[in-house]
Amino acid sequence: MNNVFKKLFNGIWTNNPVLVLLLGFCPTLAVSTTVNNAVGMAFAATFVLVSSNIVISSIRKFVPNKMRIPVFIIVIATFVTIVDLVLYGYLPKLHKSLGVFIPLIVVNCIVLGRAEAFASKNNVFDSFLDGLGMGLGFLLTIVVLATIREVIGNGTFFGKNLFGLSYSPAIVAILPPGAFLTIGLLLGGMNFINIKNKEREKMRKKLEKESLKTQKEVK
Amino acid sequence: MLKLLIIAIDSMLISNIVLMRFLGICPYIGVSKKQETAAGMGFAVIFVMVMATLISYLLQIYVLNPLKLEYLQTIVFIFVIAALVQIVEITMKKIAPTLFDALGIYLPLITTNCTILGVAILNIQKNYNLIETIVFSLSTGIGYFIAIYLFAGIREKLDWADVPEPFKGPAIGIITAGLMSLAFFGFTGLVKM
Amino acid sequence: MKENIVQVIKLFLVAVVSAFLLSYVHSITKEPIEKAKNAEITEAIKSVIPNISDQMIIKDTFLVSDVESIPLKAYIIQNNDSTVYAYSVLSYTKKGYGGTITMMIGVDKEFKITGIYPLEFSETPGLGTKMTKNKFKDQFLSKSLSNFKFKVDKDGGDIQAITSATITSRAVGECIERGLKVLEYNFKIGETDSSKTVEVKDE
Amino acid sequence: MQENRFVIKNAPFLRGKEDIKSIMWTVVVALLPATLWSIYLYRYRALTVILSCIIFTELFEMIFLKVRGVKNVFEKAYDGSAFITGLLLALNLPSTSPWWMCAVGSFVAMLFGKHIYGGLGNNPFNPALVARVFLLLSFPSIMTRWTVGINLTSQTFATPLGMLKTQGLSSVSNLDYLKLFFGFPIEGVGGGSIGEISEFAILIGGILLILRRIIPFIVPLLYISTVFVFTWIFNLIDPIKYASPFFHMVTGGLFLGAFFMATDMVTMPITKKGKIVFAFGCGLITSLIRLFGAYPEGVSFAILIMEALSPTIEKFTKNKKFGE
Amino acid sequence: MAKLYTFGRSGVLPEERKELTENKKIEKLEAKDFVFISINQHIGAPAKSVVKEGDKVLKNQIVASGEGGVTSVVHSPVSGEVVQIKSMVFPGEIKNDVVVIKNDFKYEKVSGTEEKRDFKKDKERFINEVKNGGIIGMGGAGFPTYVKMTPPKDKIIDLFIVNAAECEPYLTNDYRVMVEFGNEFLSGISLILDNLEIPKAIVGIEENKEEAFEKLQKVNSDKRIEFKLLKTKYPQGAEKQLIYALTKRVVPIRKLPFEVGVIVQNVSTVKAIYDLITFNKPLTERVLTCSGKGINEPKNILAPVGVTVSQIADFCGGIKDECKYLINGGPMMGKPFTDINLPITKTTSGLLFLTDEEVNIEEENPCIRCGRCLAVCPMGLNPTYLKEASDRREYEKMDDVLDCIECGSCSFICPASRDLARSIVKGKQKYTKYLKRGK
Ligand SMILES: Cc1cc2nc3c(=O)[nH]c(=O)nc-3n(C[C@H](O)[C@H](O)[C@H](O)COP(=O)(O)O)c2cc1C
Ligand SMILES: Cc1cc2nc3c(=O)[nH]c(=O)nc-3n(C[C@H](O)[C@H](O)[C@H](O)COP(=O)(O)O)c2cc1C
Ligand SMILES: Cc1cc2nc3c(=O)[nH]c(=O)nc-3n(C[C@H](O)[C@H](O)[C@H](O)COP(=O)(O)O)c2cc1C
Ligand SMILES: Cc1cc2nc3c(=O)[nH]c(=O)nc-3n(C[C@H](O)[C@H](O)[C@H](O)CO)c2cc1C
Ligand code: SF4
Ligand code: SF4
Ligand code: SF4
Ligand code: SF4
Ligand code: FES
């Protein structure tokens, strides 16, 4: 069980696809104008990620190495098309606001990247976990981003007004510059935490070494 | 004629593919450390974008639409693009080796670059005719070139700037992109689509 | 060589499976998608014309605008006994601050406005987008070409312009005026020649 | 005999008198005529905007200096550069700006405009302009509330450029250019940003800077004359639709931008030829935006866009070496 | 007013501060018990000492000489005994062997030296004399003069330029030489023109030395010599800039003056050649300016090469307590040092004792890209760019450092007090090493 959490945590934080692996910026920036869209996009992408990871890892032995990439693309594109059709049919509004970014999940580097780097080499369950973790990482990032943008730029959260009428929102947050600036700050924040962690780790190791030394000396 | 000019200016500056439409951000961040490589990437994108958009346009009009297979758009387009890049790579190597030396390394990167697929799909959504398709894809590609080339120029300069540690690299890059996007808002309304 | 053939066959297999899967999904989603395609329009019509019941029939038709000869799409809402309940028209203007604005305009049988609904526009958020607010839209209710000048107050008209978004307000006025003119021209009894109707499609 | 009484420093041992501080504070002095005139016109309103911008800018400057771990924060914060940014930001805002908007602007200027790039000298974009455009896109209705000077009602009017854009040329055809140039209020016409009212006052400060060799005269001159020529060409083509070039000279932030913002040395190309290209480009884009764009005024955007081009321009306009 | 010549818009205007010594007559300083002769005072192939510890030497005897194309010899200014050969670190962190000679105060000369002689026009012999007389450029660089006088065969020299700009603040040694030894100086020029078969000479003098200009023009009788007044501006005396100012000839990048048919020599060098040719007196002494507010009596001094800085300081009334900086050369290009037991060399044109009041070097700040350094660089370089590239050793961006003449104008003007010249000079060394490694 511990292992499962570790795998998920890897996708959500340690190797967060957007903030650490720097993949999939385009949908992250484009559809994070409202939390609603963001959640929709994240679920769509997670669905594709998980299902294609599962399928790819289960047919990995069947697929000849040379034909790897085309097969992956077919698998992914199939799931993307399914998502596209289903959303169009049953959630037309969301489909409209996500627009071209649904078909673009095909080329989203997160999906293809995980298929290539993970699912083609690991068993079905691990691939499932990896897809889920990455999907959650994507979800987390895009939702945080969208929350910031929607709250600042529109004064709402999930469409609900937060501050009353006298608040004038900083509209730029939901415009393209706002997306870039906000994710830039998030990236910087992530780096900052990682740098601090590394420093702390170093300090701890140093201290441990020193205490070991003193222990030895005492002995 | 006027419409073509409007399409060109709009897709180059006003609705710039990177700064306003959010397509191709990853290579924009990834291949912009040096201005020469940015230029190489830019040219490669222009080239592939025009070819890919054109071919997928023809496929849509003459194959998918008549057969009522519109729902296979995504899967067909991505295959066309992948195949196209392969073919371009091989023929360019044979016919124009110097060009290949310049652009060759960028071509594989482009297959998975969402600008190409994105523009191919947008082009269909916008219902452009053949000439408009060419103008649209060409000027969108040029818009990409402008954005990545200028951006790489700034980034080269930033190499020597005293940027705080956590913001070094992609973070400051993307913030700079934000400020460029802010600046490009000035082009709003220069032409109206 | 043999290996190559096996590879191609495998790829082909995957493709076939995928094609089957997709055509299956397609067959399921076909109908909802068709509905969804019209849902926006239907919803817009419903929001500009009060009390549409499910028995009513919405007919759409292309009308030639006498202003710029660009056909507008109009909808005739009929009671189930085929008498006219109301009209609506999908009008547009190119004079918005950010370019084209399209909006659905609903009128009753007397050609008085029952509602407007902006569909597509790219006005500045916070300025031009105030046109979607009821505070602005409501001033047009039950106005018609004969009792209202569709110009902003600054230009001597009756429209209360949105502060700092005169351009948008002016454009909205033009848009509504165009829609109303086309409707009256085509449907007002006695003045119209129904041959102007280009195409009629049943819902 | 003390051996090491001598200090080792590097040649040259004589250094010029001018330092960053003296340059920056001279610019502040050069901005005084425009500042004082606006305070005379807009009274406490201008004063509050100017004071809050400067105070917040200095405050954020100190905070970010501290966060970045810079030593002697206090001294650095008063080298005058942040003061200029604050003052110029204020001069770029309407006199009706609320204090919290000044605070947001100052924050953006200091964070995205300056310190995220490593502080003075490292930023690719002009901090005050980044903040102004950020505010313009964020709070468009506040940023377009212009009042008439002296008359302290809260009734707002469009600026001449706004009138031109929204109501056409006829609405501005009988404005008195001389009044606009000297910055006297005209009833029914919005005065514009705090600092852009009087071209005359800006010109005085600008000439001071040129004489003190702090800004190269070519930049404002070429910038303004490019706008003049372009607007003139269009005025000749269609005098019914396009305003006279003199109108464009005396309205909007052209002078403020050309003398004080385009000339920010940090963000302008460093080579002489580069400065020429830069100034021409600013003029060209300003004209394009004013003539065809959605915004009535193009100066801020034009300068920012050219700043994005600045490193590239610099690359293509290297100095010729002596003997080359 | 006469036309002022100059080299364009670049360059800077530091305070001149020449009033401290400009009216002080040259005073002669005698060597004390020991002299310290550096065996490498020139640039080019190093020389080797030709004496050993315990050897007896005569005045004007050669103590060091080198082999190869570009090198020079060094003579002893006194007679006595070689007591030691030791290594010393000179300003600019240059290590050199030094021959220490105990002065016997007898001044026994090598026979034939310092006697008036008749010298018939003979180009080859002339150049040979210059070589054996240990004449090197006394304007600062120390380039062996005979090498300048033997350009490649296909280059015809049609102009001899005397560099009397003396653009460095404080320094007045060239000026005093022109005022006090005007005739010798002029005869020196004539000698050079005669022997090297050059048709014309121009003496370029900065406007702030108009007195010397007028006087020389009055006493001159040689029609081939022309005097031109230069604008007072730094670095007017830099070779390429001077040539351009006086003739509008542009020395191509990384090329020497002979490319445009010119030889440039400093005033003191010309005077030294005169002494050598007419009196057979090798170069063993020079005029230098000892100045600054950190010394009690600023003076112009004729001193034997090899006397120590401390001896000179004593001669000038001693160092004041508030003296903080000790500089070998002028304040713009000179090198700082701390060791007052170092000897002067043939290229020491000045010794400056400066106080905090005179030197205002502040802490380095980040570049604000004001572009002033580009504007003043006489070589048209981009100093701030070169500094960053040099500091970071980004070799592919550093090529231009080789064109820097190290004048320091950029550091002088920089409002952010950046030590541009210093970084670039260091960059030059790094880059040269890098190029060598590459080959
Ligand atoms: C740093 C700061 C930023 C603020 N930003 C905003 C803002 O973006 N929009 C806003 O309406 N109020 C903002 N406020 C709150 C205002 O001070 C004020 O309380 C609020 O706008 C109420 O406005 P009213 O006086 O018009 O009712 C901000 C306050 C501070 C201190
Ligand atoms: C950033 C910005 C956005 C604007 N957006 C709009 C807009 O969406 N709709 C509009 O009519 N005018 C817009 N304008 C134009 C001005 O607000 C203009 O002054 C106004 O339309 C004139 O109306 P007024 O006469 O009520 O001031 C915008 C201006 C700026 C600076
Ligand atoms: C920046 C700079 C300034 C110089 N100024 C002078 C000068 O004022 N007078 C001078 O004789 N040499 C000056 N020189 C040295 C000359 O370039 C040149 O080496 C010298 O005049 C040649 O004469 P010499 O070989 O007799 O020394 C300067 C060099 C540099 C790099
Ligand atoms: C001539 C001159 C013009 C300046 N213009 C601006 C300006 O427009 N905006 C600004 O934020 N700072 C300006 N500054 C101040 C300073 O350069 C600015 O804070 C830096 O860009 C910060 O790195 C100016 C400084 C000078 C000397
Ligand atoms: S494939 Fe393209 S989008 Fe993906 S990581 Fe590489 S450059 Fe970025
Ligand atoms: S060393 Fe200095 S004073 Fe001497 S000549 Fe050169 S620049 Fe002039
Ligand atoms: S770069 Fe070299 S030549 Fe140019 S001013 Fe600086 S020191 Fe002088
Ligand atoms: S003079 Fe100093 S501050 Fe100005 S550009 Fe050069 S290095 Fe930068
Ligand atoms: S380029 Fe990476 S998701 Fe678009």
Side-chain angles (χ1 to χ4, degrees), chain E residues 137-139 148 163 166-167 235 237-239 265-266 269 333 405 407:
Chain E
M138 292 162 82
K148 279 195 191 178
N163 186 345
E166 199 162 54
C167 53
E239 210 161 58
Q265 301 280 214
N266 167 259
T269 319
M333 289 185 70
I405 57 169
C407 68

Side-chain angles (χ1 to χ4, degrees), chain A residues 134-148:
Chain A
M134 286 291 156
L136 290 179
F138 182 60
L139 178 86
L140 182 79
T141 319
I142 197 170
V143 167
V144 168
L145 183 65
T147 309
I148 298 175

Side-chain angles (χ1 to χ4, degrees), chain B residues 185 188-192, chain C residues 93-101 121-125 127-129 131 164-172, chain D residues 136 140 144 165-166 292-297 301:
Chain B
F185 257 85
T188 314
L190 222 46
V191 295
K192 287 184 183 171
Chain C
T93 173
K94 288 193 165 174
K95 297 199 174 146
Y97 190 77
T100 307
I101 299 174
F121 51 86
S122 43
E123 304 301 287
T124 314
L127 277 184
T129 53
M131 72 178 177
S164 298
T166 311
I167 301 175
T168 308
S169 315
R170 198 180 279 151
V172 170
Chain D
L136 179 63
T144 49
K165 190 117 263 170
T166 57
F292 307 109
Y295 294 98
E297 171 61 308
F301 289 110

